[in-house]
Amino acid sequence: MSLSNTPAPSGPPAEEESTGAALAEPVRKVTARWVTGLVLVNVGINAAFFGPINVFIGQQAISIDAPSKEAILSLVTACGAAVSLVANPLAGAFSDRTTSRFGRRAPWVLAGAVLAAAALVAMSFSGAVALMVLFWCLVQLGANAAYAAITAAVPDRVPVVQRGGVGGLAAMGQTLGILTGAVFGAVVSGNFLVGYWLCAGALLLSVLPYLFHRNDPALPKSELEAFRPRVFIRGFWISPRRHPDFAWAWLTRFLVNVGNQLTIVYLLFFLRDVIHHEDPAAGVLVLTGIYAVMVMITAVAAGPWSDRVGRRKPFVIASSATIAMAGAIMAFFPVWPGALAGAAVLGIGFGAYLAVDFALLTQVLPFAVSRGKDMGVINVANSLPQVVAPGLALLAVAYCGGYRTLFLTAAVIGLLGAVFVVKIKGVD
């Protein structure tokens, strides 16, 4: 992937002049500075998401009611994910209609980060399950608003020939955020209050470079249709019959994310209760570190590779099958070396998947004018598994055979995601 550090030409391309910079299909490659800002926003958002999900909510649940820790974790994360199902596409749609002089996406990145950080701080003082649910829902509301906006910025500003590479770097940022959350979990040694504050600070700091170099053209009010509530609400339904590639891409992303989420949702408890790791939080850090390294290697390799060959589907199919393999390893080798191998294989598959599938998704968006809303609908396929997976995980662990059933279910669902990719016809 080529990232230009040279100043952009003083005038916009002819296509941008005729259609408006905010809505034109991008043709000029983005700069390294812009991509750095994009990556850092992804780091902060994912630290705010996965530090609590992987460590702090579980630790807080243990402090409130240890025997019910699984149920509390499932309740809190499922409620937050339910909020994200609405927040992400709604914020994306409203950002499409934002006519601020600071651009369409930047105001939502800033406001979302501030709300999520404030809610994380409030959550650190929560001594009841109801308060945990309330503030985690607010975290999800703010962070998903920011995520919807920063995700839409990619099809706004990045040309198709560069999207695999940029998608790989964005995936690297997501992984660094997950790793940062795990580092916070290990460093604070069970003090989840400090952990929440660290996540809040990381989120606020992460958005600053993007905001100062946002390359986010303002949308003139003249290019904005009148707001009609009924039309606005109907716009969230994207017909599978009229846009089948979009529908299949959504379904495959949903299935792969369910499989991935099932593999990691009870990781802290798996290390504590099955492997009997002497320090489960440190174990999560080790596994996350291995996973993170493999994700970053395969993401930054597979994304530009798919740009060069001009094909996406073979990469997505192979990476989805690799993710499923990780679940099988965890199911049949429930020991520390098996967990290490599973983390490595999961990272190999998910890194390539994140980079290339993201590029594929940006190529099946129905309309340029609603990129934020359409990417928000796609992001539901990331959020909905957080609603579905905790319930499936609780059912598997408590009633259907334990962790082996959990990990085998993850493997089967991930394989289905690989199978359905072949249904996408408009992208090779």
Side-chain angles (χ1 to χ4, degrees):
M1 181 188 64
S2 172
L3 295 177
S4 171
N5 284 292
T6 59
S10 58
E15 181 181 0
E16 291 191 1
E17 286 181 338
S18 61
T19 60
L23 300 181
E25 182 66 21
V27 294
R28 290 184 295 180
K29 290 186 176 181
V30 290
T31 65
R33 184 178 176 185
W34 187 88
V35 175
T36 299
L38 176 86
V39 170
L40 290 175
V41 173
N42 277 279
V43 171
I45 290 173
N46 282 275
F49 277 145
F50 289 100
I53 288 174
N54 287 346
V55 180
F56 303 130
I57 294 175
Q59 291 175 339
Q60 196 169 10
I62 292 171
S63 74
I64 292 174
D65 187 355
S68 302
K69 60 185 183 299
E70 292 92 348
I72 294 173
L73 175 62
S74 294
L75 175 65
V76 174
T77 56
C79 288
V83 170
S84 74
L85 295 180
V86 178
N88 205 300
L90 196 61
F94 278 120
S95 73
D96 286 335
R97 299 185 57 83
T98 298
T99 56
S100 164
R101 65 186 180 90
F102 298 106
R104 292 189 296 167
R105 315 304 180 189
W108 291 87
V109 171
L110 176 60
V114 170
L115 174 60
L120 283 166
V121 171
M123 194 169 177
S124 68
F125 298 109
S126 301
V129 174
L131 290 176
M132 289 179 65
V133 170
L134 171 63
F135 291 122
W136 183 243
C137 286
L138 291 176
V139 172
Q140 289 281 354
L141 178 63
N144 272 280
Y147 186 64
I150 200 66
T151 302
V154 175
D156 279 350
R157 309 316 310 157
V158 181
V160 169
V161 295
Q162 201 182 11
R163 286 184 192 169
V166 171
L169 292 171
M172 182 186 71
Q174 294 171 20
T175 307
L176 285 173
I178 296 171
L179 180 59
T180 299
V183 169
F184 290 163
V187 168
V188 301
S189 301
N191 190 337
F192 57 83
L193 186 150
V194 175
Y196 284 129
W197 280 67
L198 287 174
C199 289
L203 177 56
L204 290 176
L205 289 174
S206 73
V207 303
L208 295 179
Y210 173 77
L211 294 175
F212 284 114
H213 190 71
R214 55 192 178 273
N215 187 19
D216 187 6
L219 177 68
K221 292 183 179 180
S222 60
E223 296 188 18
L224 190 64
E225 293 185 1
F227 181 76
R228 292 178 289 175
R230 190 172 297 179
V231 174
F232 180 79
I233 294 171
R234 284 204 305 263
F236 290 100
W237 171 250
I238 299 173
S239 170
R241 182 177 61 83
R242 295 179 60 190
H243 306 285
D245 282 353
F246 184 89
W248 286 117
W250 190 98
L251 179 61
T252 58
R253 194 167 186 85
F254 169 74
L255 291 172
V256 171
N257 274 284
V258 169
N260 183 68
Q261 189 68 21
L262 285 173
T263 304
I264 66 174
V265 66
Y266 281 168
L267 187 57
L268 181 71
F269 302 149
F270 177 67
L271 295 182
R272 181 177 184 265
D273 300 335
V274 177
I275 292 181
H276 304 295
H277 196 284
E278 61 183 11
D279 188 346
V284 170
L285 175 60
V286 171
L287 295 181
T288 305
I290 294 172
Y291 165 89
V293 169
M294 301 313 298
V295 165
M296 288 186 285
I297 291 173
T298 56
V300 299
W305 188 6
S306 74
D307 284 339
R308 287 194 299 271
V309 301
R311 303 189 68 190
R312 312 292 191 196
K313 284 161 59 176
F315 292 89
V316 175
I317 292 170
S319 58
S320 300
T322 303
I323 292 168
M325 188 186 305
I329 292 172
M330 300 285 277
F332 292 111
F333 300 97
V335 292
W336 181 239
L340 294 172
V345 172
L346 185 65
I348 291 170
F350 210 59
Y353 179 83
L354 286 173
V356 183
D357 189 65
F358 180 82
L360 184 152
L361 290 168
T362 66
Q363 293 177 240
V364 299
L365 299 180
F367 308 108
V369 72
S370 58
R371 292 180 186 124
K373 182 264 294 178
D374 295 339
M375 287 303 296
V377 172
I378 286 289
N379 286 335
V380 171
N382 299 328
S383 304
L384 188 57
Q386 296 177 43
V387 178
V388 174
L392 287 177
L394 182 61
L395 183 65
V397 171
Y399 305 106
C400 298
Y403 283 94
R404 175 168 292 183
T405 301
L406 173 65
F407 292 130
L408 285 177
T409 301
V412 171
I413 292 174
L415 282 176
L416 287 175
V419 169
F420 290 135
V421 173
V422 301
K423 297 286 190 177
I424 299 172
K425 304 300 183 184
V427 180
D428 292 332

